[in-house]
Every structure is written in C-alpha cells, then in structure tokens.
Amino acid sequence: MLRQQDVGHRIVVRRIVGIREGRPLFSDALGELVELSETHLTLATAKGNLRVPVAQVHRAKRVPPTRRPTAAAVVALERAADEAWPAPTRGQLGEWLLRSAEGWTGRANSALPIGDPDRPLPAAVDAVEQWYAEQGQPAIINTPLPLAAPVGAELDIRGWTTRPPTLVQTAPLPLSSVAAPKKGDTSGAEGRDDELAQNGADGGPALDGADDGRHRADGNGRHRADGDVGGLGDAVVDLATAPSEEWLAIAAGRKGGLPDAARHVLTAVDQVRFAHVYAHGTLVAIGRGTVTGQGRWLGLSLIEVLPAVRRQGLARRVIDALAEWGSSAGATHAFLQVEQRNTAAVALYRRLGFTTHHTYLTRVAPH
C-alpha cells in the first residue's frame, strides 16, 4: 500500500466501485498523489482531482512518471538553483561544484555532482572529503536522482548517511489560480521546509494556506488583494531589491542565525526580489524570488508568515507577487524545493500547479 513518502509521485489505484453477482467491480485511476490520510487519498488525474476512500482501495502502488526529464534538463535546473542560492566559497572538481557558506543551510554547504569530475568516481569522492576537511566542515553531497545514482552507490559503500528525500518541483508561469479549500478545511496545514536535520529543503516556501483572492499591481511594485481576507485584505506586498533588517530578522529566526555568508547567499544574485508584507506597521510575511538559468527560472524561497496571521492567504499573495515579477522579468517557469515527507506543503504546491521534476538526496559523510 501507499505511504506518506509517495505523496507528490505518480501512482495507480485499483478501487472497488460496486458489486455484481457477488463479485467486486474494479476501476483503475492513474495520477499524482496529492494527499493521503487515514480515510482518503486524493489523485490529480488528467480529468481533475479524484478523492478515493481508503476502504475502496483494492491495490495501489507508485509507478514511473510518463516522461522523465532528460539528464540535460536536470543539470540545467540544478545549475539554475545553484545560481539562485550562491555559496560565497566555491570550488570545482571537473564539472562538479563544491560550495561552502559557514554551514548556513545544507544546499550552500554541499557538493553538486553533476557532469564529469575529471577523475574516477572513488577519487572524486576522496577529493570532496578533502576539500570540506580544509573548510573545517563535514562533507555533504546532494545527489540528484536518477542522474547521480552512481555517486549514491559509491557513498553507500562508504557508509554515508542519507537525509529525507527532497522534491524539486516546477510549474509554468503564470501559476495556477486553483481555489483554496473551503473555510474550515485544514487539509492544507502549514508546512515548513526547514533545512538539514529538521526537514532538509533549504529555503523552501512554507505556505500558510492558499486563498482565492486576486492581485493587482498599483504601479509602485506593490500588490494588493481584491477583497478582504481575515482582516488583512488591505495588506500590501512590497518587492524590494534588498531585504530590510526586519526581513533578515525573520529569516534568521527561521534558519537559526544569519552569518555573513548567509547575506551573500541571499543577495548575490543579479535578479532578486525580497517580498515584505506589513500589517499595522509590523512585518508579518516575507518571501524571496530570483530569476536565473539564463532568465528562464523563477526560484521561490524563504516564504514565511508569522504564526499569528497564518491561514489568511498571505503566503499565496507573496507567491503571486513574486510570480508576476518573475514573468515580467522574462521567466517562463517557477521552481521550489520541498521535502518529500512535508505532505501538507506538497498538497498546497499541487494546487498552485507544481509537479515533481526530479528528486535529490542529501548525503553526509560519516564522522
């Protein structure tokens, strides 16, 4: 049967739809699993969402995607993501990337093994271990799958540990305007994508529940929702080219500090915007958007809403504002990274049109 780890992946379900002459009648459904609870599962199929009671499920399993991204597509997206989250200390091992940022976030402190390391694989892993030892840091390698499966096999032999899988998800711009759940529906619970040992996906968005408000720019880079949402209908999304000190304080609270290297990671991108949402003079929501990958990709990260004002659609407004900016800058697609087990967030991203492009595993050298 299915597990929470299957959320965000393509599955096939054989369900019981009736009884004839004492025998069950079956029907098969194929789609992406967007929600799995003790009582129901929800599939995104070609004909729309299908909600199936678990009691009616005869068999269900994960199946391969209809079309896997090419190796070149995975490499291009991983390099765009690296541009969007640039570590200040960098090295190269052939085409492999080596990255260090004073230990701030896993992605900025890991090797990215894509391309040819210009030496045999065992020697390449040895060189990664040596480089990180010189930085005074544990050796970490992010392995995009299935592209870096051979690297993963070598790390298995060496006893490297594995952190929870991360989904790299993409969506075309403009984003979907699928309506939010009905009032009182808690299926889209707040999801946090904290990095490293907590949840693994660096800087991923933490949505506070979508709303069906629409947004418009006022000519000054501000985005205002039409209609009142929980008393914050007049809240404005300001997009700035640099983060305010208040913005940085919220990010530091989420990430457990903000060393100098973190400021480089956040700001050293040519096309970047920092979203600020104020309510009654207090910064209550933030977000970050970048355009990288030769202008194709809008990257969404560090979307955060203060606990006191969650469930009022502020995260969706931030995302919409950043998506509108990204489109105006020429981006055609958006990407984000979310840990596979963060099923609430995965379900929300699915409502915005995001699907899984590929996954990666974060591997850590033994002490």
Side-chain angles (χ1 to χ4, degrees):
M1 287 296 290
L2 300 172
R3 302 174 297 168
Q4 288 296 333
Q5 292 91 327
D6 296 310
V7 173
H9 292 274
R10 191 164 174 260
I11 66 166
V12 63
V13 175
R14 173 158 290 185
R15 58 197 175 105
I16 301 171
V17 294
I19 302 291
R20 179 183 296 170
E21 297 178 355
R23 291 186 174 186
L25 300 176
F26 299 106
S27 177
D28 293 342
L30 181 67
E32 182 177 319
L33 181 63
V34 297
E35 183 185 9
L36 178 63
S37 71
E38 293 182 359
T39 59
H40 289 80
L41 61 85
T42 303
L43 279 165
T45 74
K47 296 181 179 179
N49 282 2
L50 175 65
R51 195 163 185 256
V52 181
V54 170
Q56 295 179 7
V57 176
H58 178 63
R59 276 186 288 181
K61 64 178 182 179
R62 191 190 298 190
V63 296
T66 53
R67 183 183 301 173
R68 292 183 182 273
T70 65
V74 172
V75 168
L77 181 48
E78 285 290 334
R79 291 198 180 277
D82 174 68
E83 292 174 36
W85 202 253
T89 302
R90 305 174 69 86
Q92 282 198 255
L93 200 64
E95 295 177 312
W96 287 18
L97 302 179
L98 307 173
R99 307 171 290 191
S100 175
E102 299 180 36
W104 192 74
T105 77
R107 182 155 40 108
N109 292 274
S110 64
L112 182 60
I114 54 177
D116 183 1
D118 199 27
R119 65 203 69 196
L121 182 54
V125 177
D126 288 342
V128 169
E129 292 177 338
Q130 180 179 347
W131 192 86
Y132 281 99
E134 292 171 354
Q135 308 304 315
Q137 296 180 217
I140 301 175
I141 298 179
N142 276 0
T143 55
L145 299 176
L147 183 67
V151 178
E154 174 66 22
L155 301 182
D156 288 340
I157 294 171
R158 295 172 181 242
W160 286 47
T161 57
T162 304
R163 290 175 179 162
T166 296
L167 308 179
V168 180
Q169 298 204 312
T170 63
L173 294 175
L175 294 178
S176 169
S177 58
V178 176
K182 294 180 180 179
K183 186 175 182 179
D185 179 4
T186 59
S187 63
E190 178 82 2
R192 296 186 63 85
D193 311 323
D194 297 333
E195 47 87 28
L196 300 181
Q198 287 71 40
N199 278 331
D202 300 330
L207 296 188
D208 67 335
D211 64 65
D212 59 359
R214 298 296 177 257
H215 308 77
R216 63 178 184 270
D218 66 2
N220 295 312
R222 295 183 173 93
H223 295 254
R224 188 185 302 275
D226 291 333
D228 182 58
V229 181
L232 292 174
D234 290 332
V236 171
V237 182
D238 285 310
L239 300 185
T241 57
S244 67
E245 289 303 314
E246 297 163 293
W247 194 105
L248 292 171
I250 291 177
R254 180 177 176 189
K255 291 296 187 183
L258 211 68
D260 289 341
R263 293 174 183 258
H264 182 280
V265 171
L266 292 172
T267 62
V269 182
D270 288 340
Q271 295 194 82
V272 60
R273 291 294 185 272
F274 297 88
H276 302 68
V277 180
Y278 289 89
H280 310 297
T282 300
L283 184 63
V284 295
I286 65 171
R288 176 177 176 271
T290 56
V291 174
T292 59
Q294 298 182 327
R296 179 187 180 192
W297 290 104
L298 167 70
L300 297 172
S301 60
L302 282 172
I303 294 167
E304 181 80 4
V305 178
L306 295 188
V309 292
R310 288 177 183 168
R311 302 284 184 270
Q312 299 188 59
L314 293 182
R316 175 62 193 263
R317 294 193 211 179
V318 168
I319 290 174
D320 280 354
L322 290 170
E324 185 174 330
W325 166 76
S327 294
S328 69
T332 59
H333 291 76
F335 77 89
L336 54 82
Q337 299 175 339
V338 57
E339 192 176 282
Q340 179 175 276
R341 67 183 178 182
N342 193 344
T343 55
V346 171
L348 284 170
Y349 303 148
R350 184 66 181 81
R351 294 190 192 109
L352 297 177
F354 283 91
T355 58
T356 300
H357 185 272
H358 65 277
T359 64
Y360 71 77
L361 295 176
T362 298
R363 308 297 303 270
V364 183
H367 297 300

